């Protein structure tokens, strides 16, 4: 039954529109009061990530190698748009379907997102090279430079509950990837590099450090339920940066209720 679900997901994926070739641009953080505890906060350890080799990425179809960019100053949250009723043990199949759709279907260099998260909270490496360095993705038209795109496998447009495991995973990636001194609950000033975004090329936008795709592009992504969870994701990421764990600031969510067996 999985091929049917996978290809259904591929059919819905174009809802999440991406542009892969934005040029790097200098992005400036909004100023905060000197000595802020959030400015003093450092990064957190890397969370457990399923590598491309482990989810069996098809490296033979990748068109170009990674393009490196500056330290991460913003995080953009997405959803991929397929059904939420998958078993988490089959999530790697969905990740491979995203890869095939982005490269062979849309003609992009590689999978657009830097990371993906399944409904059980497992984190997958997306675009190659982005674990140890900052790689420019193809996730947020006009704002791909110096940012990270994280996509949740599934559809959160119709009131679906966001699993607590998803909130935790998104917060962990954000807290880990954002450069030292960035407040996950703060603002960032970014300059658009593409007229197809909500902001014309060259126009500055003041956004949340952790934003949704819809904040910069005409789309429903990441779905209203996931978009409503962004304050909790920001709070959890800030808590991690300050060494307080992820116990604070979670939304009223439900666990996925499925046992997950991460790949080694």
């Amino acid at each position: 039954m999985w091929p049917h679900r996978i290809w259904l997901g591929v059919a819905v994926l174009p809802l999440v529109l991406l542009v892969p070739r934005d040029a790097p641009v200098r992005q400036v953080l909004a100023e905060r009061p000197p000595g802020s505890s959030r400015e003093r906060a450092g990064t957190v350890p890397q969370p457990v990530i399923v590598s491309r080799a482990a989810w069996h990425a098809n490296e033979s179809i990748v068109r170009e190698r990674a393009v490196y960019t500056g330290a991460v100053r913003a995080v953009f949250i997405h959803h991929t748009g397929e059904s939420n009723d998958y078993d988490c043990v089959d999530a790697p199949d969905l990740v491979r379907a995203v890869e095939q759709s982005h490269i062979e279907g849309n003609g992009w260099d590689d999978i657009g997102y830097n990371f993906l998260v399944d409904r059980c909270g497992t984190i997958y490496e997306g675009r190659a090279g982005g674990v140890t360095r900052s790689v420019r993705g193809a996730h947020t038209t006009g704002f791909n430079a110096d940012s990270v795109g994280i996509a949740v496998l599934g559809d959160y447009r119709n009131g679906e509950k966001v699993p607590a495991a998803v909130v935790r995973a998104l917060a962990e990636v954000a807290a880990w990837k954002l450069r030292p001194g960035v407040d996950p609950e703060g603002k960032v000033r970014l300059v658009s590099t593409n007229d197809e975004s909500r902001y014309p090329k060259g126009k500055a936008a003041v956004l949340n450090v952790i934003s949704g795709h819809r904040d910069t592009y005409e789309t429903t992504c990441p779905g209203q339920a996931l978009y409503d969870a962004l304050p909790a994701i920001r709070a959890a990421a800030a808590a991690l940066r300050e060494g307080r764990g992820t116990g604070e600031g979670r939304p009223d969510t439900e666990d996925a209720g499925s046992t997950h067996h991460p790949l080694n």
Side-chain angles (χ1 to χ4, degrees):
M1 66 178 175
W2 275 109
H4 174 74
R5 289 184 183 174
I6 293 168
W7 289 112
L8 176 62
V10 172
V12 180
L13 280 169
L15 290 171
V16 186
L17 300 175
L18 310 172
V19 173
R21 296 184 183 274
D22 287 343
V25 61
R26 177 176 173 79
Q27 300 170 346
V28 181
L29 282 171
E31 292 184 359
R32 296 187 60 82
S36 164
S37 63
R38 298 287 171 78
E39 287 185 344
R40 294 195 300 270
T43 55
V44 301
Q46 176 186 316
V48 175
I49 297 172
V50 178
S51 69
R52 289 170 65 94
W55 60 259
H56 302 296
N58 186 353
E59 304 296 357
S60 68
I61 64 174
V62 175
R63 297 171 184 271
E64 298 288 344
R65 294 186 177 183
V67 175
Y68 295 100
T69 183
V72 175
R73 304 184 182 199
V75 174
F76 292 98
I77 306 299
H78 305 255
H79 71 170
T80 56
E82 70 278 279
S83 172
N84 290 343
D85 65 351
Y86 58 88
D87 292 327
C88 290
V89 292
D90 296 305
D93 295 336
L94 297 177
V95 178
R96 286 191 295 273
V98 173
E99 179 195 28
Q100 183 174 358
S101 174
H102 286 188
I103 299 173
E104 295 188 336
N106 297 335
W108 299 334
D109 294 339
D110 194 354
I111 192 169
Y113 312 116
N114 298 106
F115 299 94
L116 300 96
V117 172
D118 70 22
R119 69 189 185 96
C120 293
T122 297
I123 303 164
Y124 299 84
E125 178 185 7
R127 178 158 289 216
V131 174
T132 58
R133 297 179 64 183
S134 296
V135 168
R136 189 180 69 203
H139 50 86
T140 307
T141 303
F143 300 95
N144 288 321
D146 301 357
S147 71
V148 159
I150 316 169
V152 180
L153 295 170
D155 186 347
Y156 291 91
R157 291 173 296 174
N158 300 313
E160 297 82 355
K161 291 286 187 178
V162 180
V166 169
V167 173
R168 287 195 298 270
L170 293 171
E172 287 171 358
V173 176
W176 161 58
K177 267 297 179 180
L178 284 167
R179 74 173 191 172
V182 175
D183 180 356
E185 296 186 289
K187 301 288 186 179
V188 62
R189 181 177 180 271
L190 310 175
V191 178
S192 173
T193 64
N194 194 308
D195 285 331
E196 294 183 8
S197 78
R198 287 184 181 271
Y199 300 87
K201 182 178 180 180
K203 183 175 179 60
V206 177
L207 304 165
N208 290 304
V209 167
I210 299 178
S211 289
H213 187 193
R214 66 171 68 176
D215 292 324
T216 60
Y217 194 82
E218 291 289 347
T219 177
T220 61
C221 179
Q224 192 60 47
L226 188 52
Y227 192 80
D228 289 344
L230 290 179
I233 295 166
R234 296 176 190 125
L240 282 169
R241 300 276 277 198
E242 296 175 355
R244 294 188 282 112
T246 57
E248 300 183 18
R250 292 182 187 170
D252 181 15
T253 58
E254 294 179 353
D255 288 318
S258 175
T259 301
H260 194 198
H261 304 285
L263 297 175
N264 293 322

